[in-house]
Amino acid sequence: MDYKKSKAPVNTVTRDVVELWNETDNVYESVAIIAKRANQISVEIKQDLSKKLAEFASYSDSLEEVFENREQIEISRYYEKLPKPTLLATQEFLDGNVYWRDPSKDGLENEDAQV
């Protein structure tokens, strides 16, 4: 996923609690969903960055001077300018792009249907 094209703000934004509450009817549940999605995004970004930087890794054991690669610096700058995972996750949640379900509520619905 290209996170640079996301509408998420780069800086911290004050959010209206009602916006978060509308989707789940519980602010804490909404925050938990956003936190789990932020962890997923963080892992995805880290794996992507590690894969790109692994191309530039040198496996020689010499004590030579560290060589700075311009492309490696540009990749690092790109990832530094991305919005933080929590901001990306919050924006996805508010846009309705996060799939979530509550298994405890699903279980109650199934029991009611069987009666």
Side-chain angles (χ1 to χ4, degrees), residues 28-42:
Y28 302 107
E29 188 175 348
S30 297
V31 171
I33 293 167
I34 291 169
K36 287 180 183 181
R37 179 63 184 138
N39 286 337
Q40 292 172 347
I41 292 171
S42 177

Side-chain angles (χ1 to χ4, degrees), residues 13-111:
V13 176
T14 304
R15 301 284 182 177
D16 184 16
V17 178
V18 176
E19 288 181 38
L20 298 176
W21 180 75
N22 283 338
E23 190 74 25
T24 61
D25 295 330
N26 187 340
V27 174
Y28 302 107
E29 188 175 348
S30 297
V31 171
I33 293 167
I34 291 169
K36 287 180 183 181
R37 179 63 184 138
N39 286 337
Q40 292 172 347
I41 292 171
S42 177
V43 168
E44 187 176 325
I45 289 174
K46 184 176 180 184
Q47 288 174 346
D48 191 32
L49 176 61
S50 297
K51 186 174 70 173
K52 287 183 179 180
L53 292 179
E55 297 173 5
F56 301 106
S58 63
Y59 298 104
S60 62
D61 291 336
S62 63
L63 296 174
E64 297 175 8
E65 186 176 325
V66 177
F67 173 65
E68 292 184 1
N69 190 341
R70 186 138 184 88
E71 293 173 356
Q72 192 175 10
I73 294 170
E74 291 300 319
I75 290 171
S76 296
R77 284 187 181 154
Y78 170 79
Y79 281 94
E80 287 175 1
K81 291 179 182 178
L82 286 178
K84 303 294 179 217
T86 45
L87 295 172
L88 290 167
T90 304
Q91 190 63 45
E92 285 182 2
F93 183 78
L94 293 175
D95 291 344
N97 296 333
V98 176
Y99 171 77
W100 58 274
R101 65 183 183 90
D102 187 357
S104 64
K105 290 180 181 175
D106 292 343
L108 292 175
E109 291 174 1
N110 291 338
E111 290 175 10

